[in-house]
Amino acid sequence: MTYKYVLKYSKGKNEKVSVEAWPKSRELALPHELRRPSFIIGSLKGSRVIMIRPHIKELVAKYGSRRTRTGFRIDFPPKSMEAMVDAYRIGLATATLAYAETDETAEKTMRYLMSCTPEEVWFWTSKFLGLVSKETSGLRVINALCVIGGATPPTEHRE
């Protein structure tokens, strides 16, 4: 595995959750990746963070966490496939919550993502990050996830 996966949670007035992939070592990092993640799987800020908190608590119980100035971070074990699936699952869920128009859409889509198989997580994440096909946009993947989850798809990005 060339990446280490990290979930960062900041609490307070501006709650934020971010799931990032960092180079495993400095030797593997490109020049622009020395102080930044290679890519961000999903990021969410605002009131919808409350929807994903129970799942984050499960991950803290499973993998442990480290306190930071404003919250905590979870460093997923680098050699565990289960940990990698969990990182991609929670990252895709945060991305979906950021795009979803209504709370009902967000809830139904998240329910699907948290119960789908690891193979489905790999498939949707690879599509969302553009690893399989560059012409598939992230919003199109979120629309498909909403339809599969049983909700009407979002039409635009929500901040």
Side-chain angles (χ1 to χ4, degrees), residues 1-4 21-29 38 78-79:
M1 318 276 169
T2 57
Y3 298 109
K4 58 182 176 182
W22 288 79
K24 196 169 191 174
S25 67
R26 289 186 68 81
E27 294 80 31
L28 294 173
S38 299
K79 294 183 180 176

Side-chain angles (χ1 to χ4, degrees), residues 114-148:
M114 297 319 242
S115 64
C116 66
T117 65
E119 291 80 14
E120 289 173 297
V121 171
W122 293 123
F123 173 79
W124 290 113
T125 306
S126 64
K127 290 285 195 186
F128 181 71
L129 295 174
L131 302 175
V132 175
S133 173
K134 295 288 184 200
E135 62 252 2
T136 305
S137 71
L139 183 58
R140 206 160 167 211
V141 172
I142 300 299
N143 283 337
L145 283 168
C146 289
V147 169
I148 289 173

Side-chain angles (χ1 to χ4, degrees), residues 9 15-17 44-53:
Y9 177 83
E15 262 186 297
K16 182 180 176 187
V17 176
L44 176 66
K45 53 183 149 178
S47 62
R48 291 230 176 127
V49 172
I50 199 167
M51 295 176 80
I52 203 154
R53 266 195 225 148

Side-chain angles (χ1 to χ4, degrees), residues 71-86:
F72 61 87
R73 70 184 262 161
I74 299 171
D75 292 307
F76 293 94
K79 294 183 180 176
S80 169
M81 287 300 280
E82 182 182 0
M84 195 184 317
V85 169
D86 287 340

